[in-house]
Amino acid sequence: MQVRFMQVLKLDINDSSYNEINNISLDTSSLGVEYEILPYPEFLESGTINSIEREQSLIDDKIESLNSEIERLTNDADSMDYIVSACSGVVAGLVDSFFVGEWNLDIASVHKKVNKFIMDYAKRKGYKGDRLNGAINFLENKFPVAQDNIWKGKGISSAILHHLEDIAHHPTIAGLMAAIIVVFFRAAFFVGKDGEWHAVFVPATMKEGSLPMALVKAWSPIVISGVLRWLVYVAESKYVEKEGHDIPKPIRKIIIALSYSPAVIEILKVSSDWFGHLVSDMGGSKNTAGGGKGVAGVFLALLKELSSIRPLNSTKLPQFVSDIYSSKGFDMRHEVAALEMLGKQTIPIIVNESIVRTFYFVRHLLIEKENKEWSAINWSKVVPWGNRTIVRMITISSGVFCAFDVTDAAIRSAIKNGGNIYNPKLYTDFVLRLNFVGIGRFCLAVGADIGMGVKRSKVIQERQHVMNQWLLLQNAKIYSCQAGMWEEAADADAAIEELQRATEIAVISLNQGIVKADNQMVEVCTRLSELDDEDCGELLNELNS
């Protein structure tokens, strides 16, 4: 805004230049207002500076947290870390080559361990003998199951496969649920070689007596628990009505637990019978103690259950699972032997992890401790887990170990078979030399490394979004300040306009006064011109006096 005043050069009654005073003007043609429309952030409580600064403080904390997360997900490994990781993989490979060796399922040793477990369990339950077939017979009588021989004559299973095809004989959650259903609903479930389900009605056994008596015995604790729970509810309502407040929570929890106890005890009894019967079947039947077909292992039982789910039941998987159990004899004892071998293969993996993580801990502790007090150490940068650097080091060491293991297996199997690549036994020996635990650990390390990389990208994007919010708040803060400045500018503009109006009024009044004085002067001069010399002299004397 520009204000221009014209200077008055003369003020003479005989000169018309006095009219130039009317040229005083106020030029506001250059006054302009620029503004910008900004989106108002929805997360602001109000438009005040204080609320904006509070929001910015919260965002600053979030940005700091995201920066820490990005740092954790960033790989900071250097050449030294990679060299130690690779060397650790080689050391673990040497341990695997000379101390682990090839797969050796020592079934005889496992049979002894399983038989000893059966004997110990039977003795804890009251068995007094020292023979395995006697222990198995004792457990079968102590923990009978109603559906044990229900398959006979039904065409749904066989003596060889009934431990696999009867779901209640599975050492899994589904097996326990099937055993509970047999007790309370008298229905047994089988899955055949074709993957199809078969439900069979289970009548009462001689020990149970009649079917109504068996159902009454099974359901009585459930009914009692229901009645007790209803009585507890009624008592709670009466207590609240009388006292005006609820029963104290600790007392209420104890009462409710007691009301459910009959049903819980019955479920636990069914579970105990189910487990005890599985133990009796682990070593085969009483007629083939220590041999025969035992119960399926956890993994084979789960595979059998999965093979019964559509569309897997329409594939060759159900038949494959049955063949593994019946033809290969792969029951729980073989699974235990495989688990023992996998445990042996875990040794080089533990060695590898120990070397890498110990090196990381010591090195980063020395880095953090340099020129710092113990209280100032950032332990999140020292502990050998939870960050991408140690994950990358484990990935490198596991990869080197797998490469060493594969190379060692190829060389040893080739030497053992005379280098004949057409001999199938060469490839069998090669597979048996592989460390499957190491391969699995490498896959997990690669997955964790890639997952951290993906998560890092997402966190960076989130930080960019949060920083944009912070900038938007900063702009809102700036324009809020500018808004106050524009308000003051508007007040100044109004004051100048008021000054302009006052100036115009003053100029008009001054102009009117000059015109009036001019007329009076003309009138005086006219009257003086009409007087003679004597009258003028008298008038001058009066004025002088």
Side-chain angles (χ1 to χ4, degrees), residues 518-538:
D518 181 55
N519 293 333
Q520 291 177 350
M521 185 63 69
V522 171
E523 182 179 355
V524 171
C525 293
T526 302
R527 290 180 60 189
L528 289 174
S529 63
E530 294 176 353
L531 297 177
D532 52 15
D533 294 339
E534 184 178 354
D535 293 332
C536 289
E538 293 178 358

Side-chain angles (χ1 to χ4, degrees), residues 104 106 129 141 162 209 240 299 353 363 393 417 451-452 509:
N104 181 19
D106 190 359
N141 293 328
H162 77 278
V240 172
F299 295 104
E353 297 267 344
R363 186 184 185 198
M393 292 175 67
N417 294 276
M452 282 187 167
S509 299

Side-chain angles (χ1 to χ4, degrees), residues 438-457:
I439 295 173
R441 183 65 184 94
F442 175 65
C443 293
L444 291 175
V446 171
D449 198 351
I450 295 174
M452 282 187 167
V454 173
K455 186 176 181 180
R456 181 176 181 273
S457 299

Side-chain angles (χ1 to χ4, degrees), residues 468-488:
N468 289 338
Q469 287 184 336
W470 190 92
L471 291 175
L472 185 59
L473 282 169
Q474 188 67 15
N475 288 335
K477 183 177 178 181
I478 292 172
Y479 282 102
S480 179
C481 295
Q482 288 181 346
M485 182 182 69
W486 283 115
E487 291 177 358
E488 294 177 359

Side-chain angles (χ1 to χ4, degrees), residues 130-236:
D130 54 0
R131 299 182 61 86
L132 180 62
N133 58 351
I136 293 175
N137 186 53
F138 171 81
L139 292 175
E140 285 182 348
N141 293 328
K142 186 173 181 63
F143 303 108
V145 291
Q147 85 285 1
D148 195 21
N149 295 311
I150 195 65
W151 56 272
K152 294 181 177 180
K154 301 291 193 303
I156 57 175
S157 189
S158 63
I160 295 177
L161 290 173
H162 77 278
H163 282 168
L164 176 67
E165 294 180 343
D166 181 9
I167 302 299
H169 275 83
H170 287 190
T172 61
I173 298 299
L176 176 59
M177 296 302 298
I180 293 173
I181 291 174
V182 169
V183 173
F184 290 100
F185 299 98
R186 313 304 296 185
F189 294 96
F190 290 76
V191 177
K193 296 180 181 179
D194 53 1
E196 295 295 328
W197 285 78
H198 304 279
V200 182
F201 171 73
V202 180
T205 62
M206 294 180 60
K207 185 175 181 180
E208 290 175 329
S210 63
L211 181 61
M213 289 298 298
L215 291 174
V216 169
K217 182 180 177 181
W219 280 97
S220 293
I222 309 299
V223 174
I224 292 173
S225 290
V227 172
L228 291 176
R229 184 67 187 93
W230 176 74
L231 292 174
V232 169
Y233 173 76
V234 173
E236 284 181 332

Side-chain angles (χ1 to χ4, degrees), residues 316-493:
K316 295 182 179 180
L317 181 60
Q319 183 65 49
F320 174 74
V321 175
S322 296
D323 290 342
I324 290 177
Y325 180 78
S326 60
S327 301
K328 305 298 182 181
F330 195 86
D331 58 11
M332 180 175 286
R333 290 166 291 191
H334 289 75
E335 199 166 286
V336 170
L339 289 175
E340 284 189 351
M341 187 61 197
L342 289 175
K344 190 177 180 181
Q345 287 192 342
T346 305
I347 295 174
I349 310 305
I350 295 175
V351 170
N352 179 43
E353 297 267 344
S354 300
I355 294 174
V356 174
R357 295 184 187 275
T358 301
F359 169 78
Y360 178 93
F361 177 80
V362 173
R363 186 184 185 198
H364 286 77
L365 179 60
L366 294 176
I367 292 173
E368 282 291 310
K369 183 62 178 66
E370 186 177 3
N371 300 324
K372 288 184 180 179
E373 297 293 334
W374 285 102
S375 59
I377 292 178
N378 185 359
W379 290 101
S380 62
K381 295 182 179 180
V382 176
V383 293
W385 59 77
N387 62 81
R388 197 177 182 189
T389 301
I390 189 63
V391 170
R392 176 62 58 83
M393 292 175 67
I394 294 295
T395 302
I396 297 298
S397 62
S398 300
V400 171
F401 168 75
C402 288
F404 188 99
D405 180 55
V406 170
T407 304
D408 176 72
I411 294 173
R412 288 178 179 270
S413 59
I415 294 174
K416 186 176 181 180
N417 294 276
N420 184 7
I421 61 174
Y422 299 103
N423 184 2
K425 191 173 183 302
L426 183 146
Y427 300 99
T428 301
D429 292 337
F430 170 75
V431 173
L432 291 177
R433 292 289 309 187
L434 293 178
N435 190 309
F436 295 100
V437 178
I439 295 173
R441 183 65 184 94
F442 175 65
C443 293
L444 291 175
V446 171
D449 198 351
I450 295 174
M452 282 187 167
V454 173
K455 186 176 181 180
R456 181 176 181 273
S457 299
K458 293 181 179 179
V459 174
I460 289 176
Q461 293 178 358
E462 183 180 0
R463 182 181 66 176
Q464 185 63 40
H465 175 70
V466 173
M467 291 180 69
N468 289 338
Q469 287 184 336
W470 190 92
L471 291 175
L472 185 59
L473 282 169
Q474 188 67 15
N475 288 335
K477 183 177 178 181
I478 292 172
Y479 282 102
S480 179
C481 295
Q482 288 181 346
M485 182 182 69
W486 283 115
E487 291 177 358
E488 294 177 359
D491 294 339
D493 182 54

